[in-house]
Amino acid sequence: MDNKEIWQSILAQVQLSVSPAIFATWFKSTNIISIKNGEAVVAVPNYLSKEWLEQKYRKQMIGFLREFDESIREVFFQVIQAPINTQHNKNKRLAPSATTGQLDFEEFKFNKETNLNPKYKFDGFIVGLHNELAHAAAKAVAEKPGDNYNPLFIYGGVGLGKTHLLQAIGNEVSDNFKNKKVRYIPMEKLTSEIIAAIREGKIENLRTKYLDTALFIVDDIQFISGKERTQDEFFYIFNTLYNKNLQIVLSSDKAPKAIPEISDRLRSRFEGGMIADVSLPDFETRVAILKIKCQQLKISFPDDIISFIASTVQSNIRELEGVLTKFIAHTKLKNLAPTTETCKEILSSFNPKRIINPKRIIRETVNFYDLKEKDVLSESRKKEIVKPRQIIMYLLRNELNASFPFIGRKIGNKDHTTVMHAYKKISSQIKEDESLQQEINILKQKIYNS
Ligand code: ADP
Ligand code: MG
């Protein structure tokens, strides 16, 4: 395992323990320069990062590094400024430095014009019940930007594939329509651009920068909440693009209705096109995602390991990937055979609060439908009890991959054929009944976040 792989594995662990914003701000553009004589040197892009990491994360970093090399006693952060972006090094990896031989700044994989990361494509994006609608809408928009749904508004919790989908639309349009200008920007960045433009009296420049964008993608629009002046400016840009039939795609962690402190006129614009949510992937989809990630990493694991990871990490695809990376790194480093035992050991540090079990599914479902646990475990055939009972059976199967007899035992000693029937029934109903689908999605969020 080389230094680069070690660092990637450490970053994967960090990603599991800090918020996405902290990760993006302080860790994403770091890299390892060297490990020798018990000292690790880490490249950071600026002095602010250096100070911040030294003060807040030095100890934690040493801890992570020591997992790979016990001789490490200290970590130093060294500012390595990215070179000016000339035609020559555009889109190319940063040339390996003579002293380190291995710099590879993440940022350099981004296209500087569009701000897109080419790794996010439709190809490699797994479609399941949890993202079917969002995916279909994204595809439709990518085929005919400006023609189908405007704006397309995708919302859902952290790590569920919103950025991936947004960027996939951008990449596809960039590839297929060479003359269409595409821009991707996170709302936090757009906010600072707007504030700076206002302060410097250059708002016209900013407007011109965005006004001929055929596909304008703004990620995490919820950050506009409470920022009045930014909202006004965004409203202006939005309207101009919209009136020219140029495509707008937005993402948010909440539905437009639920974003606090935004003006009514902006909210109604957000609601004016297509709104699609992404929710939690079920077990089968989690397996499919892990498989495709393994394929991309050119690695293969026995099915029981994949199932084990998929059944343990349930709430977030980013974590699912993080655990997989961590597992790969550990087995490689320590030359361990990839067994479920090794996997269990590695996952033992995983926050157990997030791990759901049958008890939790039953408890949350019962609360959700305002029933008592003994009701669903009983033999009652009352409609208001039968449905939640069937939903519990469906969730036990889908989320935990539990066997039919096991589910039968958990739900008041029912026969496994009863369970199979319930599972089939809910599975087919959910495909036709959108409100049932939404109901179950909300329930799932409750189960995972309780
Ligand atoms: P969000 O923006 O919703 O927080 P991301 O788009 O950043 O989530 O997704 C987190 C990680 O999970 C990314 O690495 C992404 O590639 C991966 N991912 C999410 N959904 C899928 C999917 N359906 N298929 C494959 N990978 C996915
Ligand atoms: Mg995102």
Side-chain angles (χ1 to χ4, degrees):
M1 190 167 192
D2 61 19
N3 286 350
K4 193 177 151 201
E5 285 174 312
I6 292 181
W7 194 243
Q8 259 162 13
S9 151
I10 289 177
L11 287 183
Q13 295 184 47
V14 172
Q15 212 168 358
L16 296 181
S17 60
V18 301
S19 75
I22 297 231
F23 184 81
T25 317
W26 305 113
F27 292 98
K28 212 165 155 202
S29 317
T30 60
N31 219 317
I32 200 145
I33 296 178
S34 65
I35 299 180
K36 59 174 177 242
N37 306 330
E39 291 174 353
V41 181
V42 172
V44 297
N46 53 51
Y47 285 95
L48 191 61
S49 302
K50 177 175 154 73
E51 241 168 67
W52 181 269
L53 290 169
E54 270 168 3
Q55 281 174 21
K56 302 249 179 191
Y57 292 98
R58 192 183 128 262
K59 280 208 178 123
Q60 204 178 345
M61 286 294 129
I62 295 176
F64 282 141
L65 284 158
R66 284 176 59 85
E67 277 189 40
F68 293 93
D69 182 345
E70 283 180 4
S71 72
I72 293 178
R73 296 269 169 270
E74 193 49 273
V75 57
F76 295 104
F77 298 96
Q78 186 179 332
V79 179
I80 308 262
Q81 262 144 1
I84 299 151
N85 183 27
T86 60
Q87 201 58 38
H88 178 64
N89 63 22
K90 212 175 192 174
N91 288 335
K92 258 173 68 181
R93 279 172 162 205
L94 182 61
S97 111
T99 46
T100 69
Q102 53 190 353
L103 279 181
D104 177 17
F105 278 99
E106 270 287 309
E107 289 158 62
F108 281 79
K109 295 187 187 126
F110 283 81
N111 178 316
K112 295 279 184 233
E113 288 297 313
T114 62
N115 228 348
L116 291 167
N117 182 339
K119 91 170 188 195
Y120 293 123
K121 300 254 168 162
F122 282 114
D123 196 23
F125 186 82
I126 302 288
V127 185
L129 259 185
H130 75 291
N131 62 10
E132 216 171 13
L133 178 65
H135 173 263
K139 274 300 240 185
V141 162
E143 261 161 44
K144 289 185 177 166
D147 266 12
N148 279 318
Y149 312 112
N150 212 5
L152 169 61
F153 190 103
I154 295 179
Y155 75 94
V158 176
L160 296 179
K162 301 183 297 294
T163 297
H164 190 140
L165 263 182
L166 260 56
Q167 294 238 356
I169 301 175
N171 279 315
E172 186 140 315
V173 172
S174 279
D175 291 348
N176 294 347
F177 304 90
K178 298 281 179 227
N179 56 348
K180 285 200 194 291
K181 196 161 135 191
V182 176
R183 272 183 191 278
Y184 165 92
I185 187 164
M187 189 62 220
E188 281 164 300
K189 180 136 186 281
L190 184 58
T191 304
S192 19
E193 280 189 15
I194 292 176
I195 293 170
I198 295 171
R199 195 180 49 228
E200 290 158 20
K202 288 186 178 158
I203 205 73
E204 277 311 319
N205 295 8
L206 183 98
R207 289 179 178 178
T208 338
K209 177 172 167 188
Y210 290 113
L211 292 190
D212 59 341
T213 313
L215 171 59
F216 188 46
I217 307 173
V218 184
D219 206 353
D220 290 318
I221 190 84
Q222 75 272 9
F223 287 116
I224 206 168
S225 161
K227 303 188 179 92
E228 269 175 48
R229 190 68 183 84
T230 305
Q231 289 184 22
D232 289 345
E233 198 49 47
F234 186 77
F235 186 72
Y236 178 86
I237 298 174
F238 185 106
N239 278 344
T240 318
L241 294 176
Y242 183 85
N243 291 334
K244 289 203 250 173
N245 279 335
L246 300 174
Q247 179 71 47
I248 301 149
V249 177
L250 309 170
S251 88
S252 160
D253 67 348
K254 308 174 191 65
K257 254 202 281 333
I259 306 176
E261 292 185 66
I262 56 168
S263 65
D264 289 342
R265 59 179 192 170
L266 207 50
R267 195 185 312 276
S268 82
R269 287 293 185 284
F270 292 170
E271 286 173 338
M274 168 76 155
I275 303 179
D277 74 317
V278 289
S279 63
L280 298 163
D282 59 22
F283 175 80
E284 292 299 324
T285 313
R286 295 198 296 273
V287 167
I289 291 174
L290 285 172
K291 286 196 168 159
I292 200 150
K293 300 287 167 190
C294 284
Q295 227 177 37
Q296 286 163 354
L297 295 165
K298 299 193 174 51
I299 207 155
S300 83
F301 285 129
D303 280 354
D304 58 335
I305 290 184
I306 299 286
S307 302
F308 181 75
I309 301 180
S311 61
T312 315
V313 188
Q314 301 145 336
S315 63
N316 175 326
I317 299 167
R318 187 173 300 132
E319 279 180 356
L320 196 64
E321 268 188 50
V323 167
L324 181 70
T325 323
K326 192 174 167 185
F327 180 60
I328 294 173
H330 272 250
T331 45
K332 260 197 188 170
L333 174 79
K334 299 192 174 149
N335 229 342
L336 300 167
T339 62
T340 36
E341 270 57 49
T342 344
C343 199
K344 267 184 199 153
E345 211 181 293
I346 290 165
L347 282 171
S348 61
S349 61
F350 194 71
N351 184 357
K353 252 184 29 210
R354 300 255 185 75
I355 296 172
I356 61 162
N357 50 30
K359 241 168 126 176
R360 188 140 140 199
I361 291 185
I362 297 173
R363 187 186 66 219
E364 289 302 319
T365 313
V366 165
N367 290 344
F368 187 71
Y369 290 102
D370 209 11
L371 297 170
K372 299 245 172 331
E373 201 163 312
K374 66 174 183 359
D375 298 332
V376 293
L377 303 186
S378 73
E379 298 298 320
S380 166
R381 300 298 311 153
K382 277 194 203 144
K383 203 170 150 231
E384 61 273 22
I385 293 177
V386 171
K387 181 182 149 192
R389 185 189 291 135
Q390 289 181 330
I391 290 179
I392 291 176
M393 297 191 253
Y394 167 83
L395 288 175
L396 287 172
R397 177 75 182 172
N398 247 4
E399 303 305 307
L400 299 181
N401 200 30
S403 73
F404 293 125
F406 173 88
I407 297 172
R409 287 197 295 278
K410 287 280 161 199
I411 196 92
N413 279 326
K414 308 276 182 301
D415 191 71
H416 75 277
T417 52
T418 312
V419 183
M420 276 166 76
H421 169 75
Y423 177 72
K424 275 195 197 137
K425 187 161 168 209
I426 302 290
S427 303
S428 74
Q429 270 181 4
I430 217 171
K431 290 200 182 105
E432 278 142 32
D433 182 348
E434 210 175 297
S435 72
L436 178 68
Q437 192 181 330
Q438 272 180 8
E439 195 173 308
I440 292 182
N441 276 341
I442 296 169
L443 171 58
K444 265 167 57 177
Q445 311 257 1
K446 287 198 186 298
I447 292 170
Y448 284 105
N449 297 320
S450 63

